[in-house]
Amino acid sequence: PVNITTHIWAKFLAGFVFSILGFLACFATLNIYDFEGFAMTAMTSRDWTILLFLIGILLIAMAYLIMQTYFCCAIGSQFKSKVLSSVVSYFIVNNALGILTVAILAPIAIHMQQNGQIDAIMEQFMIDPLSYSVIGVLPVLLLAVFLYCGVLFTIQFLVTRYLFNKTLNLE
């Protein structure tokens, strides 16, 4: 016997681990190709900072998308045609969250554009892509992505647990 929360976390962690392994396998296949014309210089601490922030955003987004998929499976389990309902719910949920994201980000972007902040960041990026003013945006971006995906992740987890409590008999 297993409770619903354990069941959801087990499925989520399995999906997350396999997604990371698939991502690493994609990177490993790059070693097959011969990159003679591609010169790589030693990475500075700023380069590592940017790389770590990008990896952080990738991991957060990957975790969120895996939970979203499981959330849509929970919605689909409420209907007679579970697979079709899950696919349709994924398209609906994905589009609805896209609209929500644009509705949240558009006012912020418009405000930043009116204050000239976006132009200043882009101008500095064109002059020196690794300057502090550009890199200083990365922690804020990572925090925003983490909070937004974290809130959606939590909501989807709680709804998934509720829906599976109604339909699954795991205990």
Side-chain angles (χ1 to χ4, degrees), residues 92-106 148:
I92 292 171
V93 167
N94 200 33
N95 287 326
L97 290 175
I99 292 169
L100 175 69
T101 303
V102 169
I104 290 172
L105 291 180
Y148 182 70

Side-chain angles (χ1 to χ4, degrees), residues 58-144:
L58 176 75
L59 291 175
I60 291 167
M62 191 183 303
Y64 161 72
L65 288 173
I66 291 168
M67 183 54 72
Q68 180 177 332
T69 303
Y70 205 54
F71 168 71
C72 293
C73 290
I75 292 172
S77 72
Q78 306 298 307
F79 299 97
K80 197 173 263 190
S81 176
K82 294 178 184 358
V83 174
L84 180 63
S85 301
S86 296
V87 171
V88 169
S89 68
Y90 185 83
F91 285 116
I92 292 171
V93 167
N94 200 33
N95 287 326
L97 290 175
I99 292 169
L100 175 69
T101 303
V102 169
I104 290 172
L105 291 180
I108 295 170
I110 290 169
H111 177 72
M112 287 179 71
Q113 181 65 33
Q114 289 172 345
N115 290 341
Q117 293 170 330
I118 292 178
D119 292 333
I121 291 171
M122 292 308 290
E123 182 179 314
Q124 185 62 35
F125 182 75
M126 294 302 176
I127 295 170
D128 182 14
L130 297 177
S131 68
Y132 179 75
S133 62
V134 176
I135 291 177
V137 173
L138 291 178
V140 175
L141 178 64
L142 182 66
L143 180 63

